[in-house]
Amino acid sequence: MPEQRITITIDEKGQITAKTAGFKGEACLDELQSLLEDLGTIHEVKKTDAYYQQNAIKVTQKQTLGRT
Amino acid sequence: MSAVVKTVTPFTQRDLLLEALDELGVVYHEKGNAIMTERVDDYGAQRFIYEQGAYRFQHDSSPWRKLNFKEWKTVSAFLGAVEKAYHQAYERLQQRLAEEERRLLEEERKRFVEQQKQVVIQRAKKQGYNIKEIRKGNKIQLQLVRTTY
């Protein structure tokens, strides 16, 4: 049975990189949008060779660290 | 006639002054708003009195009076030593505060990253993914897998 995979990497500053596999067309972006909504502003979208099979997207966090 | 006058650094921080006296090996005890030292002159123990926001040194003002007190015979020499030790204690305090600031920022950073992770995990679970968390150095990797039918 086909699988859909998303690999999400969060670095020490909170920047998120997400890679998808097993999605068709724009569905990967929709899925990432729902997962990463409000967690950061997307600043880079890379369409890989197998665009309809695999996409990579980078998100930077829009929140700044501050003490309350 | 003209002159240049320089004052001793005002000892505004009690804890730093006590730390400086400890560093110099000066025996003292506190009495009300005064820090009584073991230096004794005709008027009794020489002391630091807290007034107008700082500790000021009270002593017999006789100019010829010299005390055999460790290596500081004159009041001027003693206060010079206290001033130097006070400055060093102040520097140490600044370092401690900077370190504490760094520690707090680091804790806040970790809390923020953990919060990011938890949000992603909760959303992924709701969307039917199995989740595996892997640590790669300073980074967190979440592997989300979902079977489609």
Side-chain angles (χ1 to χ4, degrees):
Chain A
M1 282 176 286
E3 280 184 344
Q4 290 174 328
R5 287 178 170 269
I6 301 177
T7 302
I8 292 179
T9 304
I10 307 173
D11 74 6
E12 62 274 14
K13 292 189 182 68
Q15 183 177 42
I16 297 172
T17 304
K19 289 184 183 176
T20 64
F23 292 85
K24 289 184 181 174
E26 297 281 338
C28 60
L29 295 179
D30 294 336
E31 195 71 9
L32 287 176
Q33 175 66 27
S34 64
L35 278 173
L36 305 178
E37 189 178 11
D38 294 333
L39 294 182
T41 304
I42 296 173
H43 85 102
E44 185 180 324
V45 177
K46 234 187 249 179
K47 296 175 184 178
T48 61
D49 289 342
Y51 172 65
Y52 291 102
Q53 300 297 323
Q54 187 172 315
N55 283 314
I57 185 166
K58 273 194 182 174
V59 175
T60 56
Q61 83 278 3
K62 62 183 177 185
Q63 296 159 324
T64 54
L65 294 176
R67 273 179 280 138
T68 54
Chain B
M1 187 179 95
S2 57
V4 175
V5 174
K6 187 178 174 184
T7 64
V8 174
T9 300
F11 303 122
T12 57
Q13 302 295 316
R14 172 190 161 277
D15 289 346
L16 295 184
L17 177 56
L18 295 183
E19 192 176 324
L21 293 175
D22 287 337
E23 276 289 308
L24 296 173
V26 175
V27 176
Y28 60 85
H29 66 276
E30 291 184 82
K31 189 176 176 182
N33 68 338
I35 300 172
M36 318 292 286
T37 74
E38 55 184 334
R39 288 175 61 94
V40 177
D41 55 30
D42 288 343
Y43 291 94
Q46 296 183 340
R47 66 202 72 178
F48 292 92
I49 297 272
Y50 187 76
E51 51 190 24
Q52 294 179 336
Y55 282 89
R56 302 178 199 285
F57 195 58
Q58 268 191 1
H59 58 89
D60 178 0
S61 60
S62 302
W64 62 81
R65 183 75 173 141
K66 287 182 172 50
L67 295 173
N68 279 329
F69 180 73
K70 295 189 169 75
E71 61 268 44
W72 313 293
K73 288 193 170 64
T74 64
V75 165
S76 175
F78 175 66
L79 283 180
V82 173
E83 185 181 38
K84 187 178 173 186
Y86 185 88
H87 282 159
Q88 289 168 347
Y90 183 81
E91 289 301 315
R92 288 194 293 271
L93 174 65
Q94 292 299 305
Q95 283 170 8
R96 284 197 299 272
L97 290 174
E99 184 54 41
E100 179 66 11
E101 179 86 10
R102 273 194 291 273
R103 189 186 64 80
L104 287 172
L105 283 175
E106 177 63 12
E107 278 181 9
E108 191 170 335
R109 182 194 69 75
K110 282 182 180 172
R111 260 199 306 272
F112 181 77
V113 170
E114 182 64 21
Q115 186 187 327
Q116 297 272 77
K117 184 188 87 175
Q118 290 303 326
V119 169
V120 171
I121 287 174
Q122 292 308 313
R123 289 177 182 171
K125 279 181 181 173
K126 275 186 189 171
Q127 289 168 221
Y129 288 96
N130 289 321
I131 302 160
K132 186 177 172 185
E133 181 179 336
I134 301 171
R135 292 269 166 176
K136 293 196 169 187
N138 285 339
K139 300 181 183 180
I140 299 169
Q141 190 178 84
L142 299 174
Q143 294 180 346
L144 314 182
V145 180
R146 183 171 68 184
T147 304
T148 57
Y149 299 93

